[in-house]
Amino acid sequence: MAATKRWPVLAGFLALLLVFLVSALIPQALAAEANYQYKWRLPQVHPKGSDYDLRALAFADEVKQKTEGRIEIKVYSGGTLCDWVECYERVMRGDFEITMTPIAPTFDPRLNIAYYMPYLFTNTEEAKEAYKKGGWVYNMVSDLLKDQGIKGLAIFPVGWAGMTARDEPEGWQEMKPNKMKIRTMPLKACELTWQRLGYIPSTIPYSEAFSAIERGVADGESGGPPFQGYQFRDIQKVWIQYNDYLEPWWFYMNLKLWDTLTEHDQNVILEAAEKQVQGRWEVFLKEDEEYRAKMKEFGLKILMPTDEQLKGFAEAIRKEVWPKLDDLMGKTLVDICRKQVGLK
């Protein structure tokens, strides 16, 4: 009877031993399958010590550890290798292997939708659902990137955008024309948006925006979250949180290189990128608030539109600006956006 009782115990022990042996052998088998030793470069434009630099480094460390050193990534922060537009081209060509920057529409105008599509969302919850892995924006842009030889890994939020100005624009809540000349990014969607919001758009490179405002060529600037506005604190007096877009950046890499990886290492990269993306969702709103507080402390007037005002801005842009983007981005893509926000 005692011997009979010992059999289940022995069987359980053997089963656990088998699981342990298999789990120990699987990584070795995968490593044997991965006949490569890669050293990659990851350029990104934010300065060393910034949240983006730290996330890039954490991503690289996790990939190296979980691929047992098969993939080693060196991070180049502060734009030392290239700006974000050049990064896109060079990753596409395979000059650089991987990056953490915005998507540039240089070679496919449809990809304008990957960076600046005005008032695609009116709140963070909508954006998070669309940007997540498997979300409708993630899927739409990932498909477009494949045509360019790029593998999209994950999208992360930089911050909700707004603008700075010399003075509070008269009638800004009602989108009335105010004769203020505002620096905008050199994107047609951006120009049309700020024109409808009541301003005179002027496409000036970001590197020249400060001097343009100093010289009176422009009255203000747009195109980024509060941390960008803070850079203009010495020459501007007002920040308006328009939320015209939630600035999206991507982890992405060369598609041909991606295809050389084992499934195990591909999953490692996806999971490491997703981990850093989730970290940004947890901190970016706090970061936005911190920089608004810094601007206020410096003397800038902070104007926060109500939810109703934001919905009014969004409705006007979607109905009057989006139709003008059909030819630029392709009506099929813009129709997907219309469907997602409930427009026919």
Side-chain angles (χ1 to χ4, degrees):
M1 190 71 175
T4 303
K5 289 181 178 179
R6 285 198 296 269
W7 276 111
V9 176
L10 182 58
F13 173 76
L14 290 173
L16 288 172
L17 181 61
L18 181 62
V19 169
F20 173 78
L21 290 172
V22 169
S23 63
L25 290 172
I26 284 177
Q28 296 177 20
L30 289 170
E33 182 187 349
N35 296 316
Y36 48 73
Q37 192 73 37
Y38 285 139
K39 292 185 181 294
W40 296 352
R41 289 162 295 180
L42 189 159
Q44 71 91 21
V45 300
H46 285 277
K48 289 185 177 180
S50 65
D51 185 56
Y52 309 91
D53 172 56
L54 298 178
R55 291 191 183 282
L57 291 169
F59 167 79
D61 287 343
E62 182 170 348
V63 169
K64 181 178 180 180
Q65 178 187 349
K66 292 187 176 179
T67 62
E68 299 180 338
R70 290 187 295 279
I71 301 175
E72 187 173 345
I73 302 172
K74 185 173 182 179
V75 175
Y76 295 85
S77 292
T80 55
L81 294 186
C82 55
D83 64 23
W84 65 272
V85 175
E86 187 182 356
C87 274
Y88 181 85
E89 179 180 355
R90 298 191 71 175
V91 169
M92 183 180 70
R93 293 198 316 237
D95 297 340
F96 298 139
E97 295 80 14
I98 190 167
T99 189
M100 189 183 78
T101 62
I103 300 297
T106 313
F107 300 95
D108 185 348
R110 295 177 300 169
L111 282 169
N112 276 279
I113 210 163
Y115 184 65
Y116 189 85
M117 183 64 179
Y119 288 104
L120 198 54
F121 321 108
T122 57
N123 60 66
T124 300
E125 290 72 24
E126 291 175 352
K128 190 172 185 180
E129 191 66 20
Y131 284 172
K132 71 180 183 181
K133 186 178 179 181
W136 70 270
V137 169
Y138 177 94
N139 288 341
M140 177 174 63
V141 175
S142 293
D143 288 342
L144 295 175
L145 291 176
K146 288 178 182 177
D147 293 340
Q148 300 292 303
I150 285 177
K151 169 63 180 178
L153 302 172
I155 319 175
F156 63 93
V158 174
W160 284 105
M163 63 158 280
T164 58
R166 296 183 189 278
D167 302 291
E168 180 177 351
E170 186 176 349
W172 67 268
Q173 301 96 328
E174 295 82 27
M175 296 173 282
K176 293 181 178 179
N178 54 46
K179 297 183 181 180
M180 272 195 176
K181 186 175 288 186
I182 297 298
R183 176 266 169 185
T184 66
M185 295 181 287
L187 302 171
K188 191 63 177 178
C190 199
E191 295 177 52
L192 293 170
T193 296
W194 287 95
Q195 186 175 51
R196 179 60 187 88
L197 290 173
Y199 301 91
I200 301 171
S202 179
T203 56
I204 298 171
Y206 180 74
S207 60
E208 300 174 16
F210 195 96
S211 63
I213 295 171
E214 272 190 316
R215 293 182 284 111
V217 175
D219 301 301
E221 57 79 37
S222 68
F227 82 78
Q228 177 172 306
Y230 183 67
Q231 311 309 313
F232 294 84
R233 60 192 180 279
D234 291 321
I235 54 174
Q236 300 278 257
K237 296 297 183 183
V238 176
W239 168 267
I240 307 179
Q241 188 71 59
Y242 270 103
N243 284 12
D244 51 308
Y245 79 120
L246 179 58
E247 186 170 356
W249 285 39
W250 281 74
F251 280 97
Y252 64 87
M253 64 175 289
N254 182 270
L255 181 59
K256 287 183 179 179
L257 182 58
W258 169 264
D259 288 338
T260 69
L261 303 178
T262 64
E263 183 178 353
H264 173 270
D265 288 356
Q266 288 178 345
N267 287 333
V268 166
I269 290 171
L270 287 171
E271 289 169 8
E274 186 64 25
K275 181 177 179 179
Q276 297 309 317
V277 162
Q278 290 306 314
R280 275 303 297 174
W281 284 108
E282 293 169 8
V283 304
F284 89 92
L285 289 174
K286 181 180 178 182
E287 186 177 85
D288 281 0
E289 181 57 39
E290 287 175 352
Y291 277 97
R292 283 193 295 267
K294 287 182 178 181
M295 284 189 282
K296 184 176 181 180
E297 184 179 353
F298 200 82
L300 275 73
K301 185 176 184 179
I302 307 300
L303 299 173
M304 301 293 292
T306 65
D307 288 344
E308 286 304 309
Q309 287 171 335
L310 289 174
K311 287 180 181 178
F313 300 156
E315 182 177 349
I317 298 302
R318 289 168 179 175
K319 290 184 176 179
E320 299 177 41
V321 172
W322 282 16
K324 299 175 183 178
L325 302 179
D326 284 345
D327 290 338
L328 175 67
M329 299 179 180
K331 189 173 185 302
T332 300
L333 294 181
V334 181
D335 279 346
I336 293 173
C337 299
R338 292 187 179 100
K339 180 180 179 181
Q340 292 296 328
V341 303
L343 286 180
K344 295 182 179 180

